[in-house]
Amino acid sequence: MRLVALFAGLMLSAVPAAAQNMQEPASTPPAGEQAPAAEQPRAASPAETAQLVQTEFAARDRNGDGSLNQAEFSAWVGELMARRPGQASPPSEAQLTAAFARADADRNQAVSQAEMTALFSRTR
């Protein structure tokens, strides 16, 4: 679940215009009722973030080359975003491409485990 929250932050910060379309509209409670307090998951610590990425990374690196290509990255992000509460539709190709570009810090067309960890650490 923490990875879902981290990816949600990633997607919301990577493509702000698209993020506005992804947010749920605010609802007003009936007169005399208070809105329930929103439960916000605790942000993962840097160590927890690194552990979460390490746990999943090898399984997501389908070709075993030690990094994620655009397709591997997009598949992982797409799965996480699809599990996001309130997510009406999967992320667009433009959102996935923008997220990949943001993650690929050295611009080598691949995302390493370190880059993925750094990306999640920035989006906490």
Side-chain angles (χ1 to χ4, degrees), residues 31-54:
E33 290 184 29
Q34 269 190 316
E39 289 186 32
Q40 295 295 324
R42 179 183 64 80
S45 72
E48 289 170 325
T49 299
Q51 181 63 40
L52 289 168
V53 172
Q54 182 179 15

